[in-house]
Amino acid sequence: MITLIEGPSGAGKSSLFAALRGAEAFAGDATRGGDDVRGLDSADWTAWAGQTPGLLQGTIDENVALGSPGPSPQAVRAALDAACADDLDAAQQLGVQGSGLSGGQQQRVAVARAFYRHAADPRRVLLLDEPSSALDADTEARLWASLRARADAGATILLISHRRSARAIADQVVSLGGASTGSATQTSWVPELDASTGSATQTSWVPERSE
């Protein structure tokens, strides 16, 4: 299942992901399998790619398999291909912050990292924040097709995107309110993966913020 999260700048889309990952405090409820996400290690149940690729000095395959205790070259290649980075050499050496790659290439490597983590444990929820913002239309279409295929195979994906084309692959759309008043209370339904059955269920997230 793909849930598309959209809304104007400042609506709290990236803050939602930060809250789910334990990187930002929030008031309200967010659960997975009945457990409050604030008590869970996000690395155990999410595979995330943010707006900043966060690449390190080293090879592309080292970046894709970052944190993996036993990197698999085949899995790295599969992740790169799924992220539309099939034109990149996994052995290519990168400089600080991924220098040596274009912005779009860095973005695809970051998405490949999320795909790699998800493949290692398909029960993880994929959190993708604007994964196509630096991609051209053709590459974006290929990425959307890849996400749709992954979702059809059982993946649960939360996708933040400002691209209208993302609606074509979404099973449901969550629209977060604007920030014109400086405060917002938003009730949304987002999917969660039931760890015991592997099926997608629903969880309620009710953030309350005041700025």
Side-chain angles (χ1 to χ4, degrees), residues 52-147:
T52 302
L55 303 186
L56 305 176
Q57 186 172 18
T59 60
I60 287 177
D61 56 359
E62 288 171 342
N63 273 276
V64 171
L66 186 67
S68 175
S72 164
Q74 295 79 13
V76 168
R77 187 70 262 167
L80 286 167
D81 292 349
C84 303
D86 44 308
D87 57 330
L88 298 182
D89 180 359
Q92 180 179 341
Q93 189 76 30
L94 305 181
V96 176
Q97 296 183 338
S99 62
L101 296 179
S102 69
Q105 289 172 327
Q106 289 183 26
Q107 190 172 53
R108 282 179 281 160
V109 171
V111 172
R113 177 190 294 162
F115 282 173
Y116 183 91
R117 288 186 53 77
H118 179 262
D121 185 353
R123 294 173 300 176
R124 289 188 171 110
V125 177
L126 271 168
L127 306 178
L128 303 176
D129 192 348
E130 298 285 4
S132 71
S133 62
L135 305 184
D136 59 55
D138 289 341
T139 306
E140 178 185 74
R142 291 172 55 209
L143 179 61
W144 289 164
S146 181
L147 290 181

Side-chain angles (χ1 to χ4, degrees), residues 5-82:
I5 301 167
E6 59 180 27
S9 179
K13 302 182 297 297
S14 295
S15 293
L16 165 58
F17 276 13
L20 292 176
R21 294 173 46 246
E24 185 171 309
F26 65 95
D29 302 300
T31 62
R32 177 180 185 270
D35 297 321
D36 192 317
V37 298
R38 283 167 285 209
L40 303 176
D41 184 343
S42 64
D44 292 337
W45 71 277
T46 67
W48 174 68
Q51 293 188 34
T52 302
L55 303 186
L56 305 176
Q57 186 172 18
T59 60
I60 287 177
D61 56 359
E62 288 171 342
N63 273 276
V64 171
L66 186 67
S68 175
S72 164
Q74 295 79 13
V76 168
R77 187 70 262 167
L80 286 167
D81 292 349

Side-chain angles (χ1 to χ4, degrees), residues 184-205:
T185 299
Q186 180 73 38
T187 302
S188 306
W189 290 98
V190 296
E192 72 169 47
L193 193 67
D194 187 304
S196 61
T197 66
S199 61
T201 58
Q202 298 289 330
T203 185
S204 178
W205 180 70

Side-chain angles (χ1 to χ4, degrees), residues 7-12 176-186 209-211:
S9 179
L176 299 187
S180 59
T181 64
S183 63
T185 299
Q186 180 73 38
R209 61 185 179 86
S210 178
E211 298 175 354

